[in-house]
Amino acid sequence: MESTLSIIKPDAVAKNVIGKIVDRFESNGLRIAAMKKMQLSVDDAKAFYIVHASRPFYGELVKFMISGPVVVMVLEGENAVAKNRELMGATNPKEALKGTIRADFAESIDANAVHGSDSAENAKNEIEFFFSRREIN
Ligand code: GDP
């Protein structure tokens, strides 16, 4: 059993497809162990994406992530990190495989519908960033 962090980004929340995205996870063997809708602050977004601080798109990424509410979730299941990445599709939705979340719900490389942890270690840190123990069931 593994856990991973998923974020439904502001573009997908604005499109009213939270339920459709959650269904992808539940229909593919992942369980929602925690979930909340929230508005990130500039400091939240900067801290969450600190590994990208030196990248040219960092400013745009932070601006986008605070442009509206997000839904943060802990997904649980066998190989949850890899399974979630597979369901998400490639970072650039134009390169994402047919039937993936990004191919179906995302418009561009910045407005790309979802975030998913890329390793078990990052998942642990990202889950701790958003959730207290009592919020995870
Ligand atoms: P992910 O793990 O697939 O989300 O991709 P990364 O961790 O590499 O990048 C984090 C996020 O930064 C992505 O989901 C994109 O929203 C954004 N991003 C990555 N590369 C680019 C880029 O070249 N341009 C822009 N505008 N955004 C990018």
Side-chain angles (χ1 to χ4, degrees), residues 33-115:
M35 174 154 74
K36 58 189 172 189
K37 188 178 187 184
M38 61 194 297
Q39 172 66 50
L40 300 183
S41 68
V42 177
D43 286 346
D44 290 332
K46 279 186 171 171
F48 184 76
Y49 278 119
I50 195 72
V51 294
H52 293 309
S54 62
R55 308 282 281 278
F57 57 84
Y58 184 60
E60 284 302 312
L61 177 59
V62 169
K63 210 167 117 188
F64 169 66
M65 289 302 288
I66 64 161
S67 66
V70 296
V71 174
V72 292
M73 283 169 285
V74 177
L75 305 178
E76 206 174 70
E78 221 172 283
N79 298 317
V81 171
K83 169 64 79 179
N84 181 37
R85 297 291 302 187
E86 185 189 318
L87 294 172
M88 286 164 62
T91 307
N92 185 346
K94 289 176 180 68
E95 291 163 11
L97 293 180
K98 211 168 155 244
T100 60
I101 293 168
R102 281 169 167 166
D104 292 345
F105 300 112
E107 305 304 329
S108 62
I109 194 160
D110 43 333
N112 63 0
V114 280
H115 164 83

Side-chain angles (χ1 to χ4, degrees), residues 13 23-24 47 80 90 93 128-129:
V13 171
D23 180 55
R24 299 288 174 103
E128 279 172 11
F129 182 86

